[in-house]
Amino acid sequence: MPENEDIVLNLPYQSSAPALARQFVTEHAAGLPTSVRDDAELLVSELVTNALRYGRPNIALRLRLDPPCIGVAVQDSGDEDVQLIAGVEANATSGRGLLIVDAVASKWGVNPLEPPPGKTVWFEL
């Protein structure tokens, strides 16, 4: 894939989507440093899981490679706000996804779709 060109994968709105997203990152980011690729796989899994849990179909994954960096965006049609939850209970089984993104990504953010509904959650490594 040429550098600085977006590649897009439309994901199914089903439980297999995070694994498909990780595989897509693995295949297309093979030339990046292992640590960057591993972090991208982790973070894309978190964002796609959030899109399944809180968003609505359709889910699209967009990658942009600029070695040794990568940009990843996950778009869904849900209108629920994306919020970073600071006080997750120690024994909670969910709620840490964006905390992980915030801790690992160089930059990240949320852009509402125009026209609504929908949003794109993105990160860079």
Side-chain angles (χ1 to χ4, degrees):
M1 180 191 102
E3 293 176 15
N4 295 319
E5 267 187 38
D6 289 358
I7 53 172
V8 178
L9 174 65
N10 292 312
L11 292 164
Y13 196 73
Q14 53 191 248
S15 61
S16 62
L20 292 171
R22 286 190 303 273
Q23 180 180 2
F24 189 70
V25 169
T26 300
E27 290 171 5
H28 291 284
L32 295 180
T34 303
S35 62
V36 172
R37 189 177 61 245
D38 290 349
D39 286 348
E41 291 170 12
L42 169 66
L43 299 186
V44 76
S45 186
E46 295 296 337
L47 294 188
V48 171
T49 298
N50 282 353
L52 286 171
R53 187 168 187 173
Y54 304 109
R56 290 196 327 239
N58 298 319
I59 300 173
L61 169 61
R62 183 176 308 275
L63 301 181
R64 180 168 287 215
L65 299 175
D66 187 14
C69 304
I70 185 172
V72 177
V74 176
Q75 178 180 312
D76 72 72
S77 297
D79 54 5
E80 187 164 331
D81 289 336
V82 175
Q83 297 179 3
L84 188 63
I85 302 170
V88 178
E89 297 287 329
N91 60 351
T93 58
S94 65
R96 293 180 182 83
L98 288 180
L99 291 172
I100 294 169
V101 172
D102 188 56
V104 175
S106 303
K107 295 192 294 190
W108 75 278
V110 181
N111 299 330
L113 293 184
E114 293 297 330
K119 65 195 166 295
T120 301
V121 184
W122 58 270
F123 67 84
E124 295 177 0
L125 295 168

